[in-house]
């Protein structure tokens, strides 16, 4: 009985991860080809993650600082003039 449940749960997790991987490849393709919507999605996701990491730190997760720093770097880079120029060509 446990084997059947584990198999179903494992299959569901695999399907979700496959969809997320496909979505990640789609965004990566947009970034490499200079599509403006790819940059917009990265900025939106970084802002969402920044807010979530800040909320996580407010409840005591000190490791959230790494996510805040990483998302800050991503946001800083995405607003650099040469990056904006790449995505508006």
């Amino acid at each position: 009985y446990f084997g059947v449940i584990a198999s179903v749960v494992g299959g569901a997790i695999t399907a979700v991860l496959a969809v997320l991987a496909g979505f990640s490849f789609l965004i990566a393709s947009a970034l490499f080809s200079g599509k403006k919507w790819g940059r917009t999605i990265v900025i939106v996701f970084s802002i969402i993650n920044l807010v979530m990491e800040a909320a996580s730190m407010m409840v005591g997760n000190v490791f959230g600082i790494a996510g805040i720093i990483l998302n800050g770097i991503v946001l800083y880079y995405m607003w650099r003039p040469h990056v904006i120029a790449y995505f508006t060509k």
Side-chain angles (χ1 to χ4, degrees):
Y1 181 73
F2 177 73
V4 172
I5 293 173
S7 179
V8 169
V9 170
I13 291 172
T14 301
V16 168
L17 291 177
V19 169
L20 290 175
F23 191 59
S24 295
F25 280 115
L26 182 67
I27 294 171
S29 172
L31 290 174
F32 281 119
S33 62
K35 300 225 174 7
K36 189 174 181 179
W37 62 266
R39 177 179 168 266
T40 303
I41 287 177
V42 169
I43 290 171
V44 168
F45 282 173
S46 289
I47 291 170
I48 291 169
N49 285 331
L50 191 67
V51 170
M52 291 177 68
E53 293 291 348
S56 174
M57 285 190 62
M58 286 183 197
V59 296
N61 180 12
V62 295
F63 298 105
I65 191 70
I68 289 174
I69 291 170
L70 180 63
N71 285 300
I73 291 169
V74 169
L75 287 171
Y76 171 77
Y77 184 75
M78 286 294 166
W79 287 103
R80 303 285 297 153
H82 69 281
V83 175
I84 293 171
Y86 175 75
F87 286 100
T88 56
K89 63 178 178 171

